[in-house]
Amino acid sequence: MSATPPVRIALSRRGYPGLDDAPLPEGAELVLPDEGAPTDDAALRALAADCDGLVVSTPDRVDAELFDAAPRLKVVALVAVGFDNVDLDEARRRGIVVTHTPGVLADATADLAFSLILMARRLLVPALDTTRAGEWGAFDPQAFLGLQVAGATLGIVGYGDIGSAVGRRGAGFGMTVLQHSRSPRPEDGIAEAVGLDELLERSDVVSLNVPRTPETAGLIGARELDLLGPRGTLVSTARGGVVDEDALLAALREGRIHSAGLDVFATEPLTDAASPLLHEPRLVCLPHIGSASVETRTAMTRMALRNVTAVLSGDDAPNVVPPLRG
Ligand code: GLV
């Protein structure tokens, strides 16, 4: 009688914090890419080929081609809350369970959204660049004159775990908070629920916290930015493509909005140093680091591996991705 082969779990990246003491099925083998190995689609297919479980991150594309290359696969566990990189219909068709990590990254991502708000509104990037360059000149009452956060109105588009965590921070900063979600959320005593146009018109600062779906693609374009207006700041820790980047650049250049901050882009990674996005003085750009704290990434890794372990042990996974709301 042949022995049962050990359970194999591939991880698309090295270095997930918390991996050393993450829960694993009995006797499981972890399959990691070699140090410095490519992380493209072909590399992921090769890595997952003989594996039962696969742990992936936001940039990894999980599609039919990958599933074809990995016939043993039973579970794909995202170390992420967003799942727009996974072909869910194809996974479902093949009986492959897809899980994600909701909740645990809400505070880290809300902290980052708030960092973008403060950086953009108070012109902190040009101020830092000037200081670092040794160009701190004589006092000029007009220098780095930003707009105040306290007392301003904060509109949150997408009021789930992350959006509501941004709302709590806004309230703590003395802001009036508005929320808009496709499916109305109960009032929480922090944020008044309004329609999207009303939110844009009434807000000084807008934070985008929606998932990327066909409905949210291009949600914020020239018309919406004009509703926000010349004293408005837009920040996004959602997904690239929710904001029309060309429209955003035009609105910033023409002074039709005050400032903006993006942690997410239509094309990631943003490696073109000549990209106009990276040279717009009132646009703060960060490299998609919403969940990048030790505590949060550790919790995400553990959650992802708990999900893999549950599925491979024949149990229900606690964090199966929900069906997309149409
Ligand atoms: C990061 O973008 C995530 O979806 O967790």
Side-chain angles (χ1 to χ4, degrees):
M1 207 173 78
S2 63
T4 321
V7 160
R8 285 164 61 83
I9 302 166
L11 289 91
S12 70
R13 315 276 151 162
R14 299 177 72 85
Y16 283 109
L19 186 59
D20 289 349
D21 60 353
L24 288 175
E26 187 78 28
E29 273 177 19
L30 291 186
V31 179
L32 291 163
D34 292 334
E35 196 94 50
T39 54
D40 56 16
D41 294 351
L44 190 60
R45 286 197 291 273
L47 197 75
D50 295 320
C51 290
D52 309 276
L54 174 63
V55 176
V56 294
S57 284
T58 303
D60 300 317
R61 192 175 21 235
V62 179
D63 57 11
E65 248 189 291
L66 174 69
F67 296 143
D68 284 343
R72 274 171 60 173
L73 210 54
K74 293 180 192 61
V75 53
V76 172
L78 285 146
V79 188
V81 66
F83 43 84
D84 48 301
N85 55 323
V86 179
D87 185 336
L88 291 180
D89 289 338
E90 196 58 43
R92 210 165 287 133
R93 236 172 35 79
R94 297 172 189 239
I96 297 170
V97 179
V98 181
T99 67
H100 67 152
T101 57
V104 288
L105 45 70
D107 280 320
T109 308
D111 283 348
L112 197 85
F114 231 86
S115 306
L116 285 172
I117 292 169
L118 294 168
M119 290 167 85
R121 207 138 173 88
R122 293 294 303 272
L123 308 178
L124 298 186
V125 172
L128 181 62
D129 288 348
T130 301
T131 314
R132 285 196 161 156
E135 289 169 2
W136 178 359
F139 174 71
D140 172 358
Q142 286 293 321
F144 308 114
L145 206 54
L147 291 173
Q148 187 120 323
V149 169
T153 296
L154 169 63
I156 299 166
V157 182
Y159 204 67
D161 289 336
I162 299 172
S164 52
V166 175
R168 289 194 294 279
R169 283 155 180 75
F173 270 74
M175 303 179 88
T176 299
V177 186
L178 307 176
Q179 50 144 316
H180 172 75
S181 289
R182 259 182 80 78
S183 331
R185 308 256 170 189
E187 297 273 345
D188 60 357
I190 291 183
E192 180 191 349
V194 295
L196 181 58
D197 283 4
E198 180 178 347
L199 178 142
L200 292 163
E201 277 168 346
R202 285 176 57 192
S203 295
D204 303 294
V205 178
V206 167
S207 173
L208 301 181
N209 299 104
V210 286
R212 164 85 199 226
T213 66
E215 289 75 29
T216 61
L219 184 70
I220 303 295
R223 188 189 83 86
E224 290 72 25
L225 293 167
D226 284 336
L227 290 178
L228 178 58
R231 287 174 66 85
T233 298
L234 177 83
V235 302
S236 181
T237 52
R239 273 291 182 275
V242 175
V243 181
D244 174 338
E245 291 171 356
D246 291 336
L248 179 66
L249 280 173
L252 286 164
R253 284 189 192 129
E254 292 160 17
R256 290 171 20 242
I257 67 165
H258 174 265
S259 50
L262 299 178
D263 185 44
V264 289
F265 297 86
T267 301
E268 296 183 9
L270 183 53
T271 49
D272 174 11
S275 165
L277 293 165
L278 299 175
H279 299 278
E280 188 55 41
R282 291 199 174 194
L283 175 58
V284 181
C285 296
L286 296 178
H288 201 149
I289 52 170
S291 66
S293 74
V294 173
E295 296 86 344
T296 291
R297 287 274 167 85
T298 300
M300 291 166 76
T301 305
R302 292 184 63 81
M303 197 174 201
L305 283 157
R306 247 195 321 275
N307 284 318
V308 172
T309 301
V311 175
L312 296 182
S313 312
D315 297 330
D316 287 342
N319 309 108
V320 174
V321 298
L324 278 182
R325 276 176 290 168

